């Protein structure tokens, strides 16, 4: 009989939810009970909202427990393992299962299933067989042809056909070529690449090996942002393991193909996700983008032909080689093939990672899979594509997720971050938030990107403060157009998008801020005040305790009063009040 | 009281010798040296320039380009409050405000007793658990104002 197994989800989100403590508690519990079973760890399956997840695998089948705490660990061991009784009320629900079943997992095929620190488990799933086939049976041209026919487009944001890109680098003459994996993932609100690197690092390495073979590169770099320590650790382990098995090194599968692989840690600069800036950063310089052409395929790292692909793009590659281009192309739409991983976050009920076939509607992703908004507030918009993208309103929820349909809305597919916002989020403030980000992250090379974003930010700051003036909207539009036209790289070219899309779909909010000094979301501090609803206040004193300025006074069990002059509108009292007795009201 | 300066100096020299003459070495050197000293002082940057045989202006130019590098001493514990999109819409600013009030420092600052440095960052990659705060290497998710005290308690 096979030994029972307990598997704990230990991706960053599992750990953040206390996964390590659960793991330790199980470890102790197993030892003290003298149980004969194996305790394993795995990456993120994508149900971040249910972390910590624990799988119990016994002969009778697999059971998944959700939101496990150390206190629950002992009961799981006693009842499930010792007595063989499943604790039904702690298991994932049918609803949760349904969300998984609606997905099509290609990139995430192994995430949350195998141990990311075990090369054997990866190999058991067919790992390193694609590179074996490539090295033994295929010419570089055949590989490129297969990837081109699959229709795979780059998942880093721009959506350039991967096979075509490899074709350029392959034809580019040079004694030395480089293959780079872009794992900078700077888009705030996106964590697809992190999860893949933490959950299935070998798939990315195998994708790079195949790519290196196809373009004739013998040297690879993985550029990972420094904020991802666990991803870096697991990549390092994976690289060592692959070296020990001869998948990385000299004469791989005796094909004459050799490949070395190194990790480069980023140092915190969003613009380094841009390919020419990334190259400058690997070379040890300031990460400033440069004019293209020449494209990296002609002159990249150290002036040599270089190919750059995103993590998710690469994780697709072994699957495509293994299952065939036709199978891959059977998913998706005419111009966007395959699947896309999205990171669902913000005001969403079931936040986490989902992988769906291209062409599914936003509504299905957000409502059917994500469960809609998290609180009692209504859905307002979804932000796609981060600082380069835009906010899509509820009227466009039936837009299919594919490169072209999303672009038509004014947003971009981007890397796959989907941040859901409800009607407590102010759209003008969100535009300000993104401009603040791009303004900070502009490398400063192009005048309009450096100064223009600053001017846009100042205008937005005064609008949210209730100091907007007539003509501000037009000024924003003019600046946006000029920044878009005169910036060298994607950062500047797309920086106005969050402003332009919110202006397009939520212009009334801008106008209300400027003309009536009113914020319909009641989010902009300068435009609201707080009020206590007399009938609801029971005088419990909780608000008095949290108020940092002593603006609320009153005796216990008696009506409390709020002094508007002392109030700094931090909102802590609203968060604390259980009776919803304190509300935000228009100030003007 | 043993001064660790000599120790650190040794480590600096080892790092420099490892990367001497290697292309693309400056950023890893800055990262490793910052791990030793906690920050990059002018003196240390001059030594790096010397060791790698490059101009001090290049070292300074690269170091100031990347947000990871610091130029003043840091506290014993570093708090990174995420202000990425997901955390922002989930109320990250309010949580940071509570920390500012509790610690008595603004983001970017260090408490007088050198216990905590408070920073804001753009995304920690745990957006599913927003709002998120990282203290040293530990990530805390699904926060609210009331939990700030609880998460800081073990570090006092
Ligand atoms: C400002 C800026 C930031 C970018 N950040 C990333 C990133 O974090 N990750 C990524 O894969 N691509 C990023 N890109 C896109 C890359 O320049 C490049 O197109 C991509 O890595 C190519 O890989 P792909 O063809 O597999 O998509 C960024 C582009 C710009 C302009
Ligand atoms: S936005 Fe805060 S962790 Fe990503």
């Amino acid at each position: 009989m096979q030994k029972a197994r307990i598997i704990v989800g230990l991706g960053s989100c599992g750990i953040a939810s206390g996964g390590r403590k659960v793991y330790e508690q199980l470890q102790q519990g197993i030892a003290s009970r003298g149980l004969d079973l194996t305790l394993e760890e795995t990456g993120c399956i994508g149900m971040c909202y249910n972390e910590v997840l624990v799988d119990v695998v016994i002969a009778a089948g697999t059971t998944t427990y959700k939101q496990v705490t150390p206190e629950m660990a002992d009961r799981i061991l006693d009842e499930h393992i010792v007595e063989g009784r499943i604790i039904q009320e702690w298991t994932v629900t049918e609803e949760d299962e349904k969300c998984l079943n609606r997905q099509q997992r290609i990139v995430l095929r192994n995430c949350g299933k195998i141990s990311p620190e075990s090369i054997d488990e990866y190999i058991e799933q067919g790992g390193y067989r694609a590179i074996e086939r490539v090295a033994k049976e295929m010419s570089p041209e055949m590989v490129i042809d297969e990837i081109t026919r699959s229709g795979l487009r780059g998942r880093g944001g721009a959506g350039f056909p991967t096979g075509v890109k490899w074709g350029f680098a392959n034809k580019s003459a040079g004694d030395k070529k480089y293959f780079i994996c872009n794992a900078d993932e700077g888009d705030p609100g996106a964590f697809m690449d992190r999860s893949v690197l933490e959950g299935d690092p070998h798939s990315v390495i195998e994708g790079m090996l195949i790519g290196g073979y196809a373009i004739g590169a013998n040297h690879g770099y993985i550029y990972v942002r420094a904020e991802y320590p666990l991803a870096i650790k697991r990549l390092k382990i994976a690289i060592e393991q692959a070296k020990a098995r001869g998948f990385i090194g000299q004469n791989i599968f005796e094909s004459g193909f050799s490949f070395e692989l190194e990790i480069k840690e980023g140092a915190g600069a969003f613009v380094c996700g841009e390919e020419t800036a990334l190259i400058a950063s690997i070379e040890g310089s300031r990460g400033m983008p440069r004019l293209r052409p020449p494209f990296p395929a002609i002159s990249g790292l150290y002036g040599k032909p270089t190919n750059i692909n995103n993590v998710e793009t690469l994780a697709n590659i072994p699957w495509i080689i293994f299952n065939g281009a036709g199978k891959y192309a059977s998913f998706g739409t005419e111009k966007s093939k395959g699947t896309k991983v999205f990171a669902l976050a913000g005001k969403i009920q079931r936040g986490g990672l989902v992988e769906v076939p291209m062409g599914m509607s936003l509504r299905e992703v957000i409502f059917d899979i994500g469960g809609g908004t998290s609180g009692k507030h209504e859905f307002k918009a979804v932000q796609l594509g981060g600082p380069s993208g835009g906010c899509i309103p509820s009227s466009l929820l039936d837009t299919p997720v594919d490169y072209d349909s999303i672009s038509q809305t004014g947003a971009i597919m981007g890397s796959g971050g989907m941040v859901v916002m409800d009607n407590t989020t102010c759209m003008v403030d969100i535009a300000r938030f993104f401009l603040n980000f791009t303004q900070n992250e502009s490398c400063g090379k192009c005048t309009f990107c450096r100064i223009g974003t600053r001017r846009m930010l100042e205008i937005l700051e005064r609008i949210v403060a209730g100091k907007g003036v007539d003509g501000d909207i037009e000024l924003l539009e003019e600046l946006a157009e000029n920044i878009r036209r005169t910036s060298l790289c994607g950062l500047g070219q797309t920086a106005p998008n969050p402003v332009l899309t919110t202006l397009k779909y939520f212009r009334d909010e801008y106008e209300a801020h400027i003309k009536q000094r009113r914020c319909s979301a009641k989010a902009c501090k300068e435009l609201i005040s707080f009020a206590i609803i007399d009938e609801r206040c029971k005088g419990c004193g909780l608000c008095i305790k949290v108020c940092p300025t002593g603006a609320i006074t009153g005796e216990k069990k008696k009506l409390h009063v709020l002094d508007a002059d002392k109030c700094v509108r931090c909102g802590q009292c609203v968060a604390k009040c259980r009776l919803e007795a304190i509300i935000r009201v228009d100030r003007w | 009281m043993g001064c660790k300066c000599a120790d650190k100096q040794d480590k600096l020299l080892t790092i420099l010798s490892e990367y001497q003459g290697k292309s693309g070495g400056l950023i890893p050197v800055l990262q490793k040296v910052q791990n030793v000293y906690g920050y990059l002082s002018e003196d240390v940057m001059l030594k790096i320039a010397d060791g790698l045989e490059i101009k001090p202006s290049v070292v300074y130019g690269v170091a100031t380009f990347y947000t990871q590098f610091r130029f003043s001493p840091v506290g014993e514990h570093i708090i990174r409050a995420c202000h990425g999109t997901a955390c922002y819409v989930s109320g990250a600013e309010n949580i940071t405000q509570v920390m500012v009030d509790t610690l008595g420092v603004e983001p970017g600052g260090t408490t007088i007793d050198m216990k905590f440095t408070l920073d804001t960052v753009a995304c920690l990659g745990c957006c599913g658990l927003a709002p998120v705060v990282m203290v040293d290497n530990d990530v805390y998710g699904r926060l609210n104002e009331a939990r700030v005290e609880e998460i800081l308690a073990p570090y006092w």
Side-chain angles (χ1 to χ4, degrees):
Chain A
M1 202 184 85
Q2 259 214 321
K3 253 200 214 175
R5 296 158 66 204
I6 297 184
I7 309 166
V8 185
L10 289 181
S12 279
C13 24
I15 293 172
S17 306
R20 287 234 190 277
K21 290 205 188 90
V22 171
Y23 188 90
E24 283 161 17
Q25 189 70 29
L26 285 166
Q27 206 167 27
Q28 282 171 16
I30 291 167
S32 68
R33 286 171 183 77
L35 297 171
D36 182 29
L37 51 80
T38 57
L39 182 62
E40 300 165 22
E41 61 179 89
T42 186
C44 168
I45 193 148
M47 288 196 273
C48 302
Y49 64 101
N50 270 339
E51 293 287 359
V52 179
L53 288 158
V54 174
D55 280 345
V56 175
V57 188
I58 55 174
T62 303
T63 310
T64 305
Y65 289 106
K66 64 178 180 181
Q67 296 172 17
V68 179
T69 60
E71 293 74 45
M72 291 157 72
D74 284 307
R75 202 174 134 200
I76 292 176
L77 290 177
D78 283 334
E79 292 191 20
H80 196 152
I81 301 292
V82 179
E83 297 166 21
R85 254 187 306 123
I86 295 175
I87 310 167
Q88 291 296 351
E89 72 264 30
W90 290 350
T91 59
V92 293
T93 58
E94 253 173 57
E95 190 80 345
D96 295 324
E97 301 269 0
K98 256 206 299 210
C99 299
L100 273 183
N101 295 340
R102 294 206 56 168
Q103 300 184 33
Q104 181 61 48
R105 293 166 85 91
I106 293 178
V107 172
L108 302 178
R109 57 193 179 275
N110 293 325
C111 286
K113 273 171 65 183
I114 64 169
S115 164
E117 295 182 13
S118 158
I119 193 171
D120 288 323
E121 289 190 26
Y122 180 69
I123 292 171
E124 261 170 46
Q125 302 295 325
Y128 290 109
R129 292 246 279 284
I131 178 62
E132 180 174 5
R133 179 184 302 170
V134 163
K136 286 184 175 162
E137 299 166 18
M138 294 171 84
S139 68
E141 288 71 24
M142 282 162 75
V143 176
I144 292 171
D145 181 57
E146 189 77 15
I147 299 301
T148 308
R149 280 191 299 112
S150 76
L152 175 67
R153 293 169 68 172
R155 302 293 192 241
F160 194 82
T162 305
V164 176
K165 196 190 244 185
W166 288 9
F168 291 147
N170 169 285
K171 290 204 184 67
S172 189
D175 50 337
K176 175 132 193 112
K177 295 181 188 179
Y178 293 99
F179 198 100
I180 298 175
C181 168
N182 187 344
D184 199 39
E185 196 163 57
D187 171 4
F191 53 98
M192 301 74 51
D193 296 351
R194 172 184 67 75
S195 298
V196 173
L197 293 172
E198 285 178 7
D200 194 15
H202 286 289
S203 69
V204 180
I205 294 173
E206 189 175 1
M208 288 187 77
L209 286 163
I210 296 168
Y213 179 86
I215 71 160
N218 301 121
H219 206 125
Y221 285 99
I222 308 182
Y223 188 89
V224 196
R225 68 194 293 245
E227 288 86 343
Y228 288 178
L230 185 62
I232 292 171
K233 180 185 146 209
R234 290 197 173 146
L235 268 175
K236 281 188 179 153
I237 295 173
I239 291 174
E240 286 313 312
Q241 291 172 338
K243 271 187 189 160
R245 301 290 172 100
F247 300 142
I248 295 177
Q250 298 297 312
N251 197 16
I252 297 162
F253 290 111
E254 285 164 31
S255 61
F257 168 59
S258 304
F259 198 74
E260 295 304 329
L261 189 52
E262 270 180 69
I263 296 176
K264 278 276 176 183
E265 285 182 39
F270 171 67
V271 73
C272 286
E274 195 279 340
E275 53 189 28
T276 59
L278 188 150
I279 288 171
S281 180
I282 294 183
E283 290 172 353
S285 315
R286 290 163 69 91
M288 314 254 270
R290 62 156 176 79
L291 205 60
R292 297 174 305 178
F295 284 92
I298 306 296
S299 173
L301 187 60
Y302 303 117
K304 304 291 182 196
T306 303
N307 184 86
I308 302 187
N309 278 122
N310 163 265
V311 170
E312 188 183 332
T313 314
L314 291 168
N316 275 302
I317 301 290
W319 193 97
I320 295 172
I321 296 292
F322 204 74
N323 296 281
K327 182 86 190 286
Y328 190 80
S330 71
F331 299 108
T333 64
E334 197 198 331
K335 286 188 180 155
S336 304
K337 299 292 183 200
T339 59
K340 178 79 195 86
V341 182
F342 290 102
L344 281 175
K347 300 282 180 65
I348 181 113
Q349 201 174 12
R350 291 194 281 268
L353 274 198
V354 300
E355 181 173 356
V356 298
M358 294 270 193
M360 188 182 262
S361 75
L362 283 171
R363 188 185 303 283
E364 285 171 276
V365 176
I366 295 166
F367 285 87
D368 298 352
I369 297 181
T373 55
S374 50
K376 53 187 185 316
H377 298 284
E378 220 174 290
F379 174 90
K380 186 182 213 170
V382 57
Q383 213 285 341
L384 243 73
S388 310
C391 291
I392 301 177
S394 53
S395 58
L396 293 180
L397 273 175
D398 291 314
T399 308
V401 286
D402 65 62
Y403 289 96
D404 311 284
S405 309
I406 299 286
S407 296
Q408 266 171 22
T409 67
I412 60 162
M413 176 84 101
S415 54
M418 260 193 201
V419 182
V420 173
M421 299 167 186
D422 63 20
N423 56 18
T424 60
T425 307
C426 170
M427 290 296 121
V428 188
D429 186 55
I430 279 297
R432 182 204 60 79
F433 168 83
F434 279 113
L435 250 290
N436 183 44
F437 180 85
T438 30
Q439 189 271 131
N440 258 323
E441 296 293 340
S442 167
C443 79
K445 193 165 181 167
C446 308
T447 316
F448 264 92
C449 178
R450 182 179 70 243
I451 307 174
T453 53
R454 173 96 226 158
R455 293 289 97 86
M456 282 182 86
L457 176 62
E458 286 164 2
I459 298 171
L460 290 163
E461 279 173 344
R462 76 174 174 244
I463 298 179
V464 297
K467 296 181 180 140
V469 294
D470 267 352
D472 271 353
I473 293 181
E474 292 71 23
L475 199 52
L476 280 174
E477 284 170 333
E478 189 188 331
L479 278 165
E481 177 57 19
N482 285 330
I483 295 169
R484 193 185 61 72
R485 275 195 308 123
T486 60
S487 298
L488 183 153
C489 87
L491 191 149
Q493 288 162 6
T494 59
N497 284 352
V499 179
L500 292 175
T501 52
T502 46
L503 269 174
K504 185 166 166 192
Y505 300 117
F506 302 95
R507 203 180 185 92
D508 54 328
E509 287 197 31
Y510 281 82
E511 283 166 353
H513 277 73
I514 296 171
K515 297 206 170 94
Q516 286 119 30
R517 289 200 276 173
R518 193 166 292 162
C519 171
S520 62
K522 306 263 188 296
C524 294
K525 278 188 184 153
E526 296 300 322
L527 307 183
I528 54 164
S529 33
F530 289 87
I532 296 178
I533 301 180
D534 296 357
E535 302 81 62
R536 291 193 195 157
C537 176
K538 293 255 158 52
C540 70
L542 278 179
C543 54
I544 299 181
K545 252 200 224 142
V546 296
C547 180
T549 60
I552 310 179
T553 48
E555 283 172 41
K556 261 229 139 56
K557 301 215 167 138
K558 291 219 173 108
L559 181 65
H560 294 349
V561 249
L562 193 153
D563 180 350
D565 289 337
K566 280 196 192 156
C567 174
V568 288
R569 297 182 285 274
C570 66
Q572 289 192 53
C573 53
V574 180
K576 199 83 199 177
C577 181
R578 298 200 198 105
L579 303 165
E580 296 181 23
I582 310 177
I583 56 162
R584 295 175 162 87
V585 293
D586 289 325
R587 187 166 172 205
W588 308 103
Chain B
M1 234 176 71
C3 172
K4 301 229 177 74
C5 308
D7 237 29
K8 291 182 177 173
Q9 180 93 9
D10 280 350
K11 282 189 186 152
L12 173 66
L13 294 176
T14 322
I15 295 167
L16 287 174
S17 63
E18 189 188 332
Y19 282 92
Q20 220 150 28
K22 270 197 193 165
S23 49
L26 178 54
I27 294 172
V29 166
L30 290 170
Q31 286 169 328
K32 289 190 174 174
V33 171
Q34 177 161 289
N35 276 343
V36 173
Y37 286 89
Y39 73 109
L40 302 169
S41 65
E42 198 178 314
D43 180 50
V44 161
M45 282 191 280
L46 285 170
K47 289 207 174 88
I48 293 175
D50 242 12
L52 297 180
E53 292 170 41
I54 47 180
K55 290 201 182 71
S57 62
V58 173
V59 176
Y60 190 70
V62 168
T64 51
F65 184 84
Y66 296 95
T67 50
Q68 189 185 24
F69 300 117
R70 309 167 166 281
F71 306 98
S72 51
V74 287
E76 203 179 312
H77 303 290
I78 300 181
I79 304 171
R80 294 184 176 88
C82 179
H83 280 204
T85 321
C87 292
Y88 183 77
V89 303
S90 309
E93 285 200 324
N94 296 339
I95 286 161
T96 305
Q97 188 55 46
V98 175
M99 290 200 278
V100 168
D101 294 342
T102 316
L103 301 171
V105 287
E106 290 296 318
T110 300
T111 53
I112 302 166
D113 62 1
M114 298 301 288
K115 198 91 189 166
F116 292 103
T117 295
L118 176 62
D119 263 342
T120 61
V121 294
C123 179
L124 292 167
C126 294
C127 326
L129 302 174
V132 176
V133 167
M134 194 164 160
V135 187
D136 298 336
N137 282 322
D138 298 321
V139 179
Y140 299 90
R142 296 194 191 100
L143 291 181
N144 53 42
E145 288 90 334
R147 280 192 60 204
V148 168
E149 213 166 304
E150 168 200 326
I151 64 162
L152 293 184
Y155 304 91
W156 283 113

